[in-house]
Amino acid sequence: MGGYILVGGKSSRLGQDKALLEIEGKPLAVRIAACMRPAVDSVTLVGPTAKYGRLGPRVIPDAVADFGPLGGLLAALEDSTYEWNLIAACDMPCVTTELFRSLVGRTADCSGDLVLPYDGEGRPEPLCAVYRSTARTAVRRSVESGVHKVMRALDGLKVLRLMPADYAAVDPDGRAFTNLNHPGDLEHAGLSAHVISQGTR
């Protein structure tokens, strides 16, 4: 099982680099990598190598520069030698090892291309999902066609959908998929602003 964390976003709405935000002394990308590592065989960051190489994990560049998350998703799928890959964005400070393990465990029940969780409001979370290598062709085709929306790129794939009840045991408070997009999201995630600062190491 491969593990990939997408770190190449511009974080324009938050005003700071999400991957380098420090929470309890660790850049968020490093925090998520530590949560992911017990659930997979390897962890790789996807983004500019010069910028994130100092964080520790292996780094590969996006398949297409400045293309958005789909370019990072394609880079991960084209890099991996595993049949299944856990792929997550770097802006989920409440994600846990238990959630990652739960998602990975559901691949045993999946005969299709993707294990896709939905949040409590019924929204799909394609940037915290497990992709089979068979999804690579559809993602590449969408990137080559100029498609930027991740869910549109996944049209036609066979998906195992996980609703909140399916993973409630590992996310009882429903916070796992909280994203950091705006400064106010820090409070919503239950994080104290004083323990968060721009990473400089």
Side-chain angles (χ1 to χ4, degrees):
M1 176 74 64
Y4 291 85
I5 302 172
L6 309 185
V7 297
K10 293 183 178 180
S11 306
S12 56
R13 288 178 290 176
L14 186 63
Q16 300 182 71
D17 190 324
K18 299 175 185 179
L20 299 180
L21 282 175
E22 288 194 357
I23 299 177
E24 298 176 349
K26 290 183 179 181
L28 185 50
V30 174
R31 181 184 176 97
I32 294 176
C35 289
M36 182 180 286
R37 194 164 287 114
V40 296
D41 295 304
S42 64
V43 175
T44 300
L45 306 183
V46 184
T49 55
K51 188 174 185 180
Y52 300 108
R54 59 188 171 82
L55 293 181
R58 172 175 173 258
V59 184
I60 62 170
D62 289 320
V64 181
D66 298 322
F67 195 86
L70 201 59
L73 182 59
L74 177 60
L77 292 173
E78 292 196 327
D79 174 76
S80 180
T81 59
Y82 294 94
E83 179 182 9
W84 285 102
N85 299 278
L86 174 61
I87 301 178
C90 70
D91 62 349
M92 297 179 295
C94 299
V95 76
T96 64
T97 296
E98 290 72 26
L99 177 71
F100 283 146
R101 281 177 166 158
S102 179
L103 298 181
V104 167
R106 295 305 295 267
T107 61
D109 305 324
C110 184
S111 61
D113 309 296
L114 172 63
V115 175
L116 178 65
Y118 282 67
D119 70 11
E121 297 183 13
R123 296 172 298 200
E125 294 288 345
L127 298 184
C128 187
V130 194
Y131 291 79
R132 203 178 212 130
S133 59
T134 50
R136 184 187 306 124
T137 300
V139 174
R140 183 189 302 117
R141 184 184 304 119
S142 293
V143 170
E144 291 174 347
S145 300
V147 172
H148 288 265
K149 292 185 178 297
V150 177
M151 286 304 297
R152 182 180 168 192
L154 304 182
D155 283 348
L157 293 182
K158 187 176 180 181
V159 178
L160 174 61
R161 293 173 173 82
L162 300 184
M163 304 313 292
D166 296 316
Y167 56 83
V170 295
D171 183 30
D173 58 5
R175 294 196 308 154
F177 297 116
T178 299
N179 298 119
L180 296 184
N181 290 318
H182 304 280
D185 293 336
L186 300 174
E187 181 178 355
H188 179 67
L191 301 171
S192 300
H194 71 272
V195 301
I196 301 175
S197 61
Q198 182 71 27
T200 56
R201 285 189 292 276

